[in-house]
Amino acid sequence: MTGTDTTDTTGGTTAAATGAVAATAAAATGTAGALGATARAVTVIGLGPMGRAMAGAFLDRGYDVTVWNRTASRADGLVARGAVLAPDVERAVAANELVVLSLTDYDAVYAALGPAEAALAGRTLVNLSSDTPRKARAAARWAAERGAVHLTGGVTVPPSGIGGAESSAFYSGPREAFERHRPALEVLTGRTDHRGEDPGLAALMYQIGMVMFWTSMLGYWQAIALADAHGLKAADILPHAVETAHSLPGFFSFYAERVDAGTHTGDVDRLAMGMASVEHVLHTHEDAGVGTLLPAAVVELFRRGMDAGHAADSFSSLLESVKGPRAAG
């Protein structure tokens, strides 16, 4: 599929993308009424666990739901509940003004929508597929070139959380389109957070959550492996693990203000003390014969901070090492 340029290397490019998308959104507003934008109707494309949960939530709330998936059998349960399985993706897109995309990544979005390009004009694409902020901006331009409005979304809960009042999702892109479809979006998650007109912002917030989630869970797996080497089960360390996790918000809040102020003074903690601690963690794993890939990487990061002269500074000074050379855009 052509037109999937992901070049986005300057703030000017981002602003241009946002402006182009806004213009398309304004033009689409007049078309939306004819397409039934206010009707309780939606198309869901992509029926993995998340897509099926989303389609199911819409059905539970009385929406007319059209679905499409490459493997049509994944729609069987939804069809039994009243959903309409479109015979092809073009007719799925043509069925409703609001189209929710739940696919693996943006390449999968382009592959799925390729045969439906002629039907995209006037549609609002709520893209809940995971990818990078740069690709989200490129997708918004791609949609605008075809007369569609693109809302980037990032759902922060697993499929089991879809439809929950306390569940949340980030959105970015044209505010008007977000507000117009907010009732439908709140079917999926009770809380919706529009981060701004830049299509990349929701993707950014989603990936911020993912980097914290995956690295935290890796730490938990590492702890379980170490416990197992000493004859303990995950259940045995669970209370301690939960208590440790619950301590983190206090650290987040304390360091946020200092980091934003560029303050890394060693008045509360020192990198040298942290270095000794992470080395003890590494040696404990080595003594137990447990894999050391993760703790060794942590030690290496601390060592870089030490070599950079931050031994007497707070371990928050490691942020400068983590930042590394920044890619433009």
Side-chain angles (χ1 to χ4, degrees):
M1 183 164 159
T2 60
T4 59
D5 174 25
T6 58
T7 302
D8 184 23
T9 58
T10 67
T13 304
T14 300
T18 303
V21 171
T24 302
T29 302
T31 310
L35 291 170
T38 58
R40 292 166 64 86
V42 61
T43 290
V44 177
I45 293 176
L47 298 178
M50 184 64 83
R52 291 198 299 272
M54 291 176 178
F58 283 123
L59 288 169
D60 289 342
R61 296 288 288 272
Y63 276 69
D64 294 329
V65 180
T66 300
V67 296
W68 182 85
N69 193 73
R70 289 188 184 279
T71 304
S73 61
R74 289 189 179 179
D76 290 349
L78 296 167
V79 170
R81 295 175 55 190
V84 174
L85 174 62
D88 55 60
V89 68
E90 183 172 13
R91 276 178 277 190
V93 171
N96 297 297
E97 189 266 334
L98 178 62
V99 179
V100 173
L101 305 169
S102 179
L103 297 156
T104 303
D105 54 30
Y106 280 29
D107 287 342
V109 169
Y110 293 129
L113 294 184
E117 287 193 29
L120 290 175
R123 269 55 185 177
T124 297
L125 307 178
V126 179
N127 194 347
L128 300 177
S129 312
S130 174
D131 222 310
T132 68
R134 180 183 300 185
K135 288 190 175 182
R137 294 175 185 124
R141 292 194 298 269
W142 179 89
E145 289 166 358
R146 289 152 181 81
V149 174
H150 182 280
L151 277 176
T152 308
V155 177
T156 65
V157 295
S160 60
I162 293 299
E166 296 304 312
S167 299
S168 63
F170 295 109
Y171 293 94
S172 63
R175 180 88 195 194
E176 183 280 328
F178 169 78
E179 293 295 348
R180 182 156 42 91
H181 292 294
R182 189 169 192 162
L185 301 180
E186 289 179 346
V187 169
L188 301 179
T189 61
R191 294 182 294 149
T192 56
D193 183 357
H194 185 266
R195 302 297 296 187
E197 297 285 322
D198 176 358
L201 290 175
L204 174 63
M205 295 301 294
Y206 178 79
Q207 297 305 342
I208 286 172
M210 287 298 95
V211 70
M212 296 182 67
F213 174 79
W214 291 120
T215 52
S216 297
M217 289 304 297
L218 281 173
Y220 183 47
W221 303 150
Q222 191 77 45
I224 291 174
L226 182 59
D228 181 75
H230 291 82
L232 300 176
K233 299 296 185 182
D236 295 325
I237 70 167
L238 181 59
H240 181 39
V242 171
E243 183 179 9
T244 300
H246 283 172
S247 73
L248 293 178
F251 287 102
F252 295 163
S253 298
F254 174 77
Y255 283 107
E257 184 175 353
R258 293 165 67 95
V259 165
D260 285 346
T263 301
H264 300 296
T265 55
D267 56 326
V268 175
D269 68 278
R270 289 186 301 146
L271 183 62
M273 295 171 59
M275 182 74 203
S277 177
V278 297
E279 285 183 328
H280 297 159
V281 172
L282 175 60
H283 297 156
T284 300
H285 282 77
E286 292 171 339
D287 292 348
V290 178
T292 60
L293 181 62
L294 181 58
V298 173
V299 168
E300 173 59 24
L301 184 56
F302 271 72
R303 185 170 291 118
R304 290 183 185 180
M306 295 285 287
D307 292 343
H310 295 296
D313 296 332
S314 167
F315 93 110
S316 64
S317 62
L318 291 180
L319 179 60
E320 303 309 315
S321 297
V322 172
K323 287 178 179 178
R326 299 192 189 187

